[in-house]
Amino acid sequence: MSDVNLTTVEYRDWLKEIKQRLRQAQVKAAVQVNTALLTFYWELGADIVERQKSARWGSGFLKQLSADLMTEFPDMKGFSHNNLQYIKRWYLFYAEGISNCGTACSTIWQQPIAQLAETDSGEILPQPVAPKDETQKVQRIVAQLVQIPWSHNLVIISKCKAVTEALYYVNQTIEHDWSRNVLTHQIESGLYERKGKAVTNFAATLPAPQSDLAQQLIKDPYNFDFLTFTNDYNERELEKALTDHITKFLLELGAGFAYVGRQKGLQVGERDFFLDLLFYHIKLHCYVVIELKTGEFEPEYAGKLNFYLKAVDEQLRGDRDEPTIGILLCKTRDRLVVEYALSDIHKPMGVSEYQLTRALPDNLKPSLPSIEELEAEFGNPGGGDE
């Protein structure tokens, strides 16, 4: 056969397919190695705890074990004295916390695992069944822990105080394939405490599955600590800053949001109206309108957002789209006032606060360049919308 035939489209397509299959096999192998290693770590942690209770080997037991294992397995990096201490701590964190976990753990471990019945690599995972005893609880938890890297497990037990919180981040990492840096950010921003805490009318305006998902979609408060403002910033400055930092803003919003536009124009009758921010949520299959307010929530804000949702439903919503959802972000809000304002609103919406933790003192503003001055000096590669 002539070598010239190896340049044909048929050969290149076949080679591409082989490369893709090899990469999938490498990923699957890496996952299996991680699962086996962490399962071994769990069993080793249990052995260490048991031996320290029953054997009289002295306080230097772990150091000696580390030295012996590193001598026997010099190419493995997981047997340092510090890592053995982490393995013991990891085991005790969950083993001692399971009895206090109760129904909260049951809710956490059933939801995300059900969504992972089949992984991207085609591996079928067991469907969740409510654990009947402590042994089954341990097995269910270990089955989740070994699905994420060891470094992620260390971040979680180092930063979480309770098993319920830790399992929440384990499952979110599995579901969204978070990197260690993203996981760390989400824990430090208090995602577990903020998720699903907004005041909404979803239960009354959306069917049960959609309303539950939408409720979990909204946080309270939102954390915009990646923005820096003086105390007298206005809504347009907040809006522009969020779109200038759209990657970080999308991370804070959560998985599933796709950015559509800023100041999206809609014509109703003879008048033009402009939405602050418009997104589409891939999992909920609906548009999401976000309106920004730099002060306290006022009841009339709900009426205006209701009007915007009606306009989007009439002009942008497709036949397969679910009803448009509105999110009103205010600097502060009185919960009872919000509940009153939303009680007779028939479009789905929620109200949350946001936090800016890095506000600049007013006296520093004159000494710092504005965004426009920086763009003029260095150029604006993104060519952001106005």
Side-chain angles (χ1 to χ4, degrees):
M1 179 183 292
S2 172
D3 289 344
V4 71
N5 291 329
L6 297 182
T7 64
T8 63
V9 174
E10 181 182 2
Y11 175 78
R12 290 199 302 269
D13 289 345
W14 180 61
L15 179 61
K16 182 179 179 181
E17 179 187 346
I18 291 176
K19 291 178 180 178
Q20 183 176 1
R21 281 158 45 193
L22 177 58
R23 292 190 181 98
Q24 290 174 345
Q26 289 175 326
V27 170
K28 187 174 182 179
V31 169
Q32 291 174 342
V33 169
N34 180 78
T35 299
L37 179 63
L38 266 64
T39 301
F40 171 76
Y41 278 0
W42 180 267
E43 295 169 351
L44 178 59
D47 284 346
I48 289 173
V49 170
E50 181 60 30
R51 295 290 183 177
Q52 287 187 323
K53 287 181 180 178
S54 60
R56 299 179 180 179
W57 291 339
S59 59
F61 161 55
L62 279 185
K63 289 184 178 179
Q64 184 62 49
L65 178 63
S66 171
D68 291 338
L69 290 175
M70 291 175 70
T71 299
E72 183 67 23
F73 304 99
D75 295 331
M76 295 189 67
K77 299 180 180 180
F79 297 134
S80 68
H81 180 239
N82 284 340
N83 202 55
L84 291 181
Q85 288 180 313
Y86 275 124
I87 290 172
K88 174 186 173 183
R89 177 182 171 187
W90 179 57
Y91 170 81
L92 286 174
F93 178 86
Y94 291 102
E96 293 181 345
I98 289 172
S99 59
N100 298 322
C101 199
T103 56
C105 281
S106 300
T107 301
I108 290 174
W109 61 48
Q110 288 185 47
Q111 291 176 352
I113 297 300
Q115 299 169 7
L116 293 171
E118 182 174 348
T119 65
D120 293 338
S121 62
E123 181 183 3
I124 303 299
L125 298 178
Q127 289 297 299
V129 178
K132 297 179 180 180
D133 55 33
E134 292 297 306
T135 301
Q136 288 187 341
K137 287 182 180 180
V138 172
Q139 291 173 345
R140 177 59 51 77
I141 289 178
V142 174
Q144 296 172 66
L145 300 181
V146 300
Q147 292 183 52
I148 65 175
W150 178 237
S151 61
H152 288 57
N153 274 290
L154 294 185
V155 168
I156 290 172
I157 65 168
S158 297
K159 295 182 177 294
C160 295
K161 297 179 180 178
V163 170
T164 49
E165 179 186 6
L167 288 178
Y168 171 82
Y169 288 114
V170 169
N171 284 316
Q172 291 296 305
T173 300
I174 295 171
E175 183 177 357
H176 303 300
D177 195 24
W178 283 344
S179 69
R180 185 174 62 178
N181 287 340
V182 170
L183 170 63
T184 301
H185 168 78
Q186 298 289 19
I187 297 176
E188 291 180 347
S189 70
L191 176 63
Y192 175 70
E193 291 83 8
R194 297 184 292 127
K195 199 76 170 177
K197 301 299 175 62
V199 183
T200 75
N201 64 354
F202 294 155
T205 57
L206 293 172
Q210 188 82 350
S211 64
D212 293 341
L213 289 172
Q215 184 66 46
Q216 291 304 310
L217 143 78
I218 304 185
K219 307 171 187 176
D220 187 41
Y222 283 87
N223 187 353
F224 297 158
D225 62 355
F226 51 88
L227 303 181
T228 302
F229 287 116
T230 60
N231 291 326
D232 60 349
Y233 68 94
N234 59 38
E235 288 157 13
R236 187 57 60 87
E237 289 173 332
L238 175 60
E239 175 190 311
K240 186 177 188 303
L242 289 174
T243 53
D244 285 343
H245 296 80
I246 190 64
T247 300
K248 294 180 179 179
F249 184 34
L250 286 171
L251 177 62
E252 175 60 14
L253 286 177
F257 280 90
Y259 177 60
V260 176
R262 168 190 169 207
Q263 287 297 304
K264 172 69 176 177
L266 296 172
Q267 185 174 20
V268 179
E270 300 298 323
R271 295 180 59 184
D272 292 324
F273 298 88
F274 299 90
L275 311 177
D276 285 350
L277 297 168
L278 181 64
F279 295 84
Y280 190 87
H281 200 277
I282 298 170
K283 293 185 177 181
L284 294 177
H285 302 289
C286 68
Y287 284 100
V288 180
V289 177
I290 296 182
E291 287 293 298
L292 306 170
K293 300 297 178 182
T294 57
E296 185 175 6
F297 171 81
E298 296 293 344
E300 54 264 32
Y301 297 160
K304 187 175 182 180
L305 181 55
N306 187 68
F307 172 81
Y308 287 159
L309 298 183
K310 174 67 175 179
V312 172
D313 278 340
E314 290 292 328
Q315 300 183 25
L316 301 180
R317 178 185 171 190
D319 293 338
R320 297 183 178 181
D321 292 332
E322 299 291 340
T324 304
I325 291 174
I327 302 176
L328 190 60
L329 298 183
C330 300
K331 190 68 179 69
T332 59
R333 55 118 175 96
D334 184 305
R335 188 178 187 90
L336 187 58
V337 172
V338 174
E339 290 176 352
Y340 271 50
L342 298 187
S343 60
D344 289 328
I345 296 287
H346 301 297
K347 293 289 185 182
M349 67 178 67
V351 179
S352 295
E353 295 181 345
Y354 65 86
Q355 293 178 342
L356 298 172
T357 59
R358 297 194 301 172
L360 286 174
D362 289 334
N363 61 351
L364 289 183
K365 186 175 182 181
S367 64
L368 296 175
S370 66
I371 293 176
E372 289 75 14
E373 289 169 339
L374 288 173
E375 290 176 350
E377 181 70 21
F378 300 106
N380 182 15
D385 295 336
E386 288 299 328

